[in-house]
Amino acid sequence: MNSHLTDEELIGNIHRTLTDAQREVMDRHLTACPQCRARLSDHEAMQQRIRHSLLADMRGVQPSPAMSFAAITPRVKGDKYRTFRQLSGQLFPITAASAALIGLAIALVDLPESVIRLFAKPEPASASSLSALACVLFSVATVGNYHERRFNQLRSSLYGLLAFIIWLGTAVVGLQVIAIVREALSWLVFLVSGKLQLAFALGNWALIPLGLVWIAVVIGGAEYQYRRGGQRISWKLFAWIIAVELFILIFALLA
Amino acid sequence: MPDIDALVQRWRDGDERAAEILYNHFRDSTFRLAYGLLGDLNDAEEAAQDALAYALVNIHRYDRRRASFSTWLHTITVCRCRDRYRRNRLKKFSLTAWIGGDEGLSDPHPGPEHHAIHAETSSQVWEAVQGLSLPLREAILLRYWSGHTFREMADILDCPVPTAQSRVRLAYQRLRATLAPTELVHLEEEESR
Ligand SMILES: [Zn+2]
């Protein structure tokens, strides 16, 4: 006979978290092995004990009479903004989607220039206020979603599309951010060394690590969003990326 | 059992009586979940009251295609309890660490209106559950007490389904490790009988 079932397998069994294939293997072993059957029923008894005890304990506690509807009535009834909230709740998906779409359109305007800048001589230039505006629009859509706390099921619906738009938009803006960082780096080298040739050469070489960072963030971000799309944490990741991009863009705009 | 979605619709249309029925229907279970998570009757009452008020005020956010009302309410309750738990821990850390002694731990405003009827629970299982970390306690209560599916748990806890599953398994293992010794004694007693 093959080796006995592990505790993990038995625990997975009582919690019904095994795959069909795992279950089949287990069932076959269990029919042949009284020892593992006994262990399984021990686990089942323990599970029952926890469940029953929790139910009984919970039934034994009651909130005080102070916890009543009357106590929250002022908060619930006195909500002057209720209509407004209701309306904003309904309008939010459309607002967020249009903000993200407009942001993407604006970001795309800057795309050709960003690509040219990436391969041009790294001369310090300002950022485009259009890209910064795009970032602001993305952040509106992102922060709103974070606040709304979307559920997992939404990954296929409008919110999946919204996440895709924001992902694409941040990738496009990211190109300009990389161009800015590259120019800033070579400018810094020029300031420190005073050698223009060295600064240009370094700016060109810097393109490789910066490009790798961009690819990593874009691909890694896509994978992350795909797996955790719709969860709060995915909007948090967007928020961080947008914040970093916006920070660099504004810094370049002011410098 | 009243038709929850019909009540929600009535409350959305402005019927305050519907809000009250909803409140009374979910009052005890919300309180109990909060109590299980926080382990303190007064904290639980405040967190549950907060959660119910938030749900009723923000009723337009509830979407029954996404989740049942109780799943949505549990999501809010877990959120409130996490906030409160964090705040309490912060208070405990800062005050006891800086002032020293236990003064920091006692409630500075012991409201007379917050005294739950029953004494605090103390079964072995309860004690063991309270000994778990908050994420594991959330997992075990939602699974064992509320009877949520792993899918619903993932929504409530805002985590992937496999994470919800592994938290339940881990919580069970911890509880078993704490409870098993007495379990063995129990079995021996039965055998000697
Ligand atoms: Zn075996």
Side-chain angles (χ1 to χ4, degrees):
Chain A
M1 183 195 283
N2 30 5
S3 55
H4 287 301
L5 299 169
T6 62
D7 258 354
E8 277 70 35
E9 286 171 314
L10 292 169
I11 290 168
N13 186 311
I14 59 163
H15 290 103
R16 317 218 183 307
T17 59
L18 301 176
T19 63
D20 285 351
Q22 285 171 316
R23 277 193 81 90
E24 265 170 43
V25 174
M26 261 191 95
D27 286 348
R28 227 174 294 138
H29 180 92
L30 283 168
T31 43
C33 176
Q35 271 170 282
C36 283
R37 273 207 302 277
R39 285 169 61 217
L40 182 66
S41 64
D42 275 356
H43 278 292
E44 275 163 353
M46 175 57 81
Q47 192 185 29
Q48 285 300 318
R49 182 185 162 196
I50 297 171
R51 189 166 279 153
H52 287 154
S53 178
L54 271 179
L55 281 173
D57 291 338
M58 288 290 212
R59 228 176 279 131
V61 287
Q62 285 263 318
S64 71
M67 184 179 168
S68 65
F69 182 67
I72 58 162
T73 313
R75 273 162 82 185
V76 174
K77 279 191 196 164
D79 186 17
K80 283 176 239 154
Y81 306 106
R82 192 154 157 242
T83 337
F84 172 73
R85 280 166 192 265
Q86 221 153 348
L87 197 69
S88 77
Q90 282 159 1
L91 287 181
F92 174 75
I94 305 161
T95 318
S98 30
L101 259 180
I102 297 170
L104 179 63
I106 294 175
L108 282 174
V109 172
D110 272 346
L111 179 63
E113 201 202 312
S114 300
V115 173
I116 294 170
R117 255 173 97 172
L118 272 176
F119 297 101
K121 271 191 180 171
E123 278 156 358
S126 182
S128 155
S129 46
L130 280 181
S131 289
L133 181 65
C135 271
V136 171
L137 286 168
F138 293 148
S139 66
V140 168
T142 305
V143 170
N145 271 299
Y146 182 72
H147 179 65
E148 287 282 304
R149 191 191 168 92
R150 297 291 163 198
F151 289 103
N152 288 342
Q153 287 99 312
L154 285 171
R155 51 189 298 166
S156 56
S157 65
L158 181 67
Y159 292 90
L161 186 70
L162 188 63
F164 178 74
I165 295 172
I166 297 177
W167 170 77
L168 200 65
T170 46
V172 170
V173 174
L175 284 175
Q176 185 175 145
V177 167
I178 283 175
I180 291 169
V181 172
R182 169 175 168 261
E183 285 154 11
L185 276 177
S186 76
W187 183 68
L188 264 178
V189 170
F190 175 67
L191 275 191
V192 172
S193 69
K195 289 175 190 139
L196 202 59
Q197 286 304 319
L198 181 71
F200 280 163
L202 210 105
N204 286 333
W205 280 108
L207 205 53
I208 296 170
L210 286 172
L212 285 177
V213 168
W214 183 81
I215 290 168
V217 171
V218 169
I219 293 180
E223 204 206 326
Y224 192 86
Q225 299 296 352
Y226 182 75
R227 275 192 287 116
R228 311 203 141 198
Q231 285 172 36
R232 235 175 164 176
I233 193 145
S234 77
W235 297 110
K236 206 170 174 175
L237 179 71
F238 273 140
W240 271 109
I241 292 175
I242 293 167
V244 170
E245 289 187 347
L246 198 59
F247 176 79
I248 294 174
L249 286 171
I250 289 177
F251 188 79
L253 272 171
L254 296 178
Chain B
M1 171 120 182
D3 181 350
I4 302 300
D5 286 326
L7 285 168
V8 167
Q9 195 48 52
R10 272 171 59 197
W11 168 229
R12 276 187 181 149
D13 295 339
D15 179 357
E16 275 158 21
R17 179 75 195 122
E20 190 168 355
I21 299 173
L22 277 173
Y23 177 92
N24 289 332
H25 185 74
F26 288 103
R27 171 179 175 260
D28 288 4
S29 62
T30 308
F31 167 77
R32 286 171 182 157
L33 177 61
Y35 178 50
L37 291 173
L38 296 169
D40 178 274
L41 292 164
N42 292 329
D43 277 351
E45 212 168 289
E46 282 174 29
Q49 194 75 326
D50 260 4
L52 285 161
Y54 179 92
L56 290 175
V57 170
N58 294 280
I59 195 75
H60 61 273
R61 290 204 180 160
Y62 163 61
D63 181 351
R64 69 195 168 97
R65 286 165 302 177
R66 258 188 251 158
S68 72
F69 188 80
S70 72
T71 300
W72 184 63
L73 187 58
H74 284 172
T75 311
I76 299 167
T77 310
V78 166
C79 232
R80 290 295 133 121
C81 290
R82 282 178 179 174
D83 289 348
R84 192 159 284 268
Y85 179 81
R86 229 170 278 143
R87 263 213 309 274
N88 283 352
R89 216 173 36 171
L90 218 67
K91 219 196 290 176
K92 207 152 61 177
F93 268 125
S94 53
L95 287 180
T96 42
W98 289 93
I99 303 169
D102 286 334
E103 299 99 312
L105 284 171
S106 61
D107 186 0
H109 312 287
E113 69 276 17
H114 288 296
H115 284 297
I117 308 173
H118 289 262
E120 314 234 348
T121 332
S122 63
S123 78
Q124 263 182 322
V125 170
W126 186 263
E127 292 294 315
V129 168
Q130 293 303 313
L132 295 171
S133 68
L134 186 62
L136 296 187
R137 220 181 310 152
E138 290 170 352
I140 210 80
L141 287 172
L142 291 174
R143 182 71 187 169
Y144 278 48
W145 179 66
S146 316
H148 282 293
T149 64
F150 287 116
R151 171 98 266 178
E152 289 166 343
M153 285 179 65
D155 285 340
I156 294 173
L157 301 174
D158 200 26
C159 67
V161 172
T163 307
Q165 291 179 336
S166 68
R167 279 188 200 162
V168 170
R169 286 195 303 255
L170 189 61
Y172 167 80
Q173 273 172 305
R174 296 269 160 84
L175 290 179
R176 185 167 166 265
T178 317
L179 298 167
T182 54
E183 180 89 330
L184 286 176
V185 170
H186 211 70
L187 284 174
E188 276 164 19
E189 275 172 7
E190 263 174 11
E191 268 167 14
S192 64
R193 230 179 275 154

